[in-house]
């Protein structure tokens, strides 16, 4: 019990740091220092520049068989977690309201692996956490531009091979793998540049989340009963079942912790982006992102601390 409480406290402190960074975005919104256009610019900087650099930087390590094995295990396991989530949501959410049903399914399947997952993985595990977190980002993007498109649009025809291949996450992972397989060390100027850009990920990503939270009525999600079910599935059910299965099949160490951090992250912000694009229930998507982000300050320390008991 003492070990669990120590683990909980350690992760909780890291979550508090992330929420303090979120506070800067929140204050920036309320004081009008950051407007909607400014938030979009910050988000684009993180998505198109910072995240790829972060991923490439995390793969800039000497090639070792153990690292390759860890990469493959992490990729297969996180894909399994997402497939499990897809099966669960199709069993649970069967209502006739297509616009809402699509959002509810999407919200449970897609966690905030980039903005919330990687900063916490880095805080707990350092560069190793970012390495495995980047693998999760790659799998996330593959599922996003395949199942995510089909789920949000209701049609196979909406899926685009171009968008699947040419998106920041996949490009970053592809370049990162090339660095991992063929380069022992990048030249110092490139290595330093990637390091500086990677350092921007946590503060900028958290500020974007904070800005968006400040734009929402934080009491509104509490009025929708279905948000409690989605929050339970996304923040507790999926990560705890994943933890049980991973432990039973022998996954341990940094891989286990990285996977559980990714699996226990709140609803991905892209849920709202896709809801807008495909004209689904935008209000519900915003409420789910806001509520699960707030609740994750308690659920993530609990789930991750539990996972550390098996490390």
């Amino acid at each position: 019990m003492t070990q669990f409480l120590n683990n909980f406290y350690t992760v909780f402190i890291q979550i508090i740091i992330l929420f303090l960074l979120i506070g800067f975005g929140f204050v920036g919104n309320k004081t009008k220092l950051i407007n909607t256009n400014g938030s979009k610019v910050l988000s684009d900087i993180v998505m198109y520049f910072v995240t790829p650099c972060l991923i490439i930087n995390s793969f800039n390590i000497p090639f070792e068989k153990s690292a390759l094995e860890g990469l493959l295990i992490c990729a297969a396991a996180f894909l399994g977690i997402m497939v499990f989530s897809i099966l669960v949501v199709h069993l649970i959410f069967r209502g006739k309201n297509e616009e809402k049903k699509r959002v509810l399914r999407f919200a449970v399947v897609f966690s905030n692996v980039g903005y919330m997952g990687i900063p916490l993985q880095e805080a707990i595990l350092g560069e190793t956490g970012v390495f495995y977190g980047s693998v999760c980002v790659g799998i996330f993007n593959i599922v996003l531009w395949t199942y995510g498109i089909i789920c949000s649009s209701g049609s196979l025809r909406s899926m685009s091979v171009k968008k699947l291949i040419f998106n920041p996450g996949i490009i970053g992972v592809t370049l990162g793998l090339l660095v991992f397989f063929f380069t022992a060390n990048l030249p110092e100027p490139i290595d330093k540049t990637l390091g500086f850009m990677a350092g921007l990920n946590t503060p900028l990503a958290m500020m974007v989340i904070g800005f968006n939270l400040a734009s929402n009525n934080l009491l509104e999600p509490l009025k929708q009963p279905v948000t409690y079910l989605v929050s339970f599935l996304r923040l507790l059910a999926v990560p705890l079942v994943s933890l049980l299965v991973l432990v039973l099949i022998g996954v341990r160490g940094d891989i286990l912790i990285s996977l559980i951090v990714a699996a226990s992250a709140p609803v991905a912000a892209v849920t709202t982006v896709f809801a807008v694009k495909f004209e689904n229930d935008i209000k519900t998507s915003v409420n789910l992102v806001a509520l699960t982000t707030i609740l994750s300050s308690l659920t993530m320390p609990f789930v991750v601390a539990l996972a550390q008991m098996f490390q």
Side-chain angles (χ1 to χ4, degrees):
M1 187 64 178
T2 302
Q3 183 184 352
F4 173 81
L5 292 176
N6 289 336
N7 292 341
F8 182 94
Y9 176 77
T10 300
V11 179
F12 182 71
I13 290 300
Q14 299 302 328
I15 289 286
I16 290 299
I17 293 171
L18 296 183
F19 269 80
L20 288 174
L21 291 171
I22 285 172
F24 284 99
F26 193 96
V27 172
N29 181 315
K30 294 300 184 182
T31 58
K32 309 301 181 185
L33 287 172
I34 305 174
N35 57 25
T36 302
N37 186 59
S39 173
K40 185 179 184 305
V41 170
L42 287 177
S43 182
D44 286 343
I45 290 173
V46 173
M47 181 181 295
Y48 292 104
F49 293 103
V50 175
T51 297
C53 287
L54 176 75
I55 293 172
I56 296 168
N57 190 59
S58 71
F59 280 94
N60 184 30
I61 59 175
F63 177 82
E64 294 179 359
K65 184 180 178 181
S66 59
L68 176 60
E69 290 175 351
L71 184 155
L72 294 175
I73 292 171
C74 188
F78 194 64
L79 179 60
I81 290 171
M82 298 197 77
V83 170
F84 166 71
S85 302
I86 292 170
L87 295 175
V88 168
V89 297
H90 280 270
L91 288 173
I92 293 178
F93 300 114
R94 294 172 168 269
K96 294 181 180 180
N97 186 332
E98 286 294 326
E99 289 75 19
K100 175 171 284 191
K101 180 173 67 177
R102 291 170 186 171
V103 168
L104 299 178
R105 288 176 172 177
F106 192 103
V108 175
V109 173
F110 294 98
S111 60
N112 204 337
V113 294
Y115 282 11
M116 285 292 286
I118 286 184
L120 185 55
Q121 288 158 338
E122 183 176 28
I124 299 173
L125 303 171
E127 286 301 312
T128 302
V130 179
F131 176 76
Y132 291 127
S134 299
V135 175
C136 294
V137 168
I139 298 299
F140 175 95
N141 275 280
I142 291 172
V143 179
L144 176 66
W145 293 104
T146 50
Y147 170 78
I149 293 289
I150 297 169
C151 174
S152 296
S153 67
S155 172
L156 279 169
R157 289 177 295 180
S158 300
M159 194 173 71
S160 167
V161 175
K162 181 180 179 181
K163 289 181 178 179
L164 172 62
I165 298 173
F166 298 103
N167 69 76
I170 294 298
I171 291 173
V173 170
T174 301
L175 293 176
L177 287 172
L178 291 174
V179 169
F180 175 64
F181 282 114
F182 300 110
T183 310
N185 289 107
L186 289 172
E188 185 175 355
I190 296 177
D191 183 49
K192 292 287 186 182
T193 300
L194 289 172
F196 283 130
M197 290 297 291
L200 295 173
N201 183 71
T202 299
L204 290 186
M206 293 302 103
M207 286 181 68
V208 171
I209 291 175
F211 179 90
N212 289 314
L213 282 179
S215 301
N216 299 328
N217 179 355
L218 299 182
L219 297 178
E220 182 65 29
L222 303 179
K223 301 175 184 177
Q224 291 189 325
V226 73
T227 60
Y228 296 104
L229 175 58
V230 172
S231 298
F232 170 74
L233 292 172
R234 169 89 302 280
L235 299 175
L236 290 173
V238 169
L240 288 176
V241 172
S242 300
L243 174 60
L244 175 62
V245 174
L246 290 170
V247 169
L248 288 176
I249 63 176
V251 178
R252 294 291 190 278
D254 292 348
I255 299 176
L256 176 66
I257 303 306
S258 297
L259 286 167
I260 296 305
V261 169
S264 63
V267 172
V270 75
T271 303
T272 299
V273 175
F274 273 48
V276 172
K277 179 177 178 59
F278 294 102
E279 299 180 349
N280 289 319
D281 192 336
I282 300 171
K283 183 178 180 181
T284 296
S285 74
V286 171
N287 288 340
L288 289 172
V289 172
L291 181 62
T292 57
T293 299
I294 294 170
L295 292 177
S296 68
S297 63
L298 295 175
T299 58
M300 288 187 79
F302 169 76
V303 175
V304 175
L306 189 61
Q308 289 176 314
M309 298 287 289
F310 300 95
Q311 192 175 10

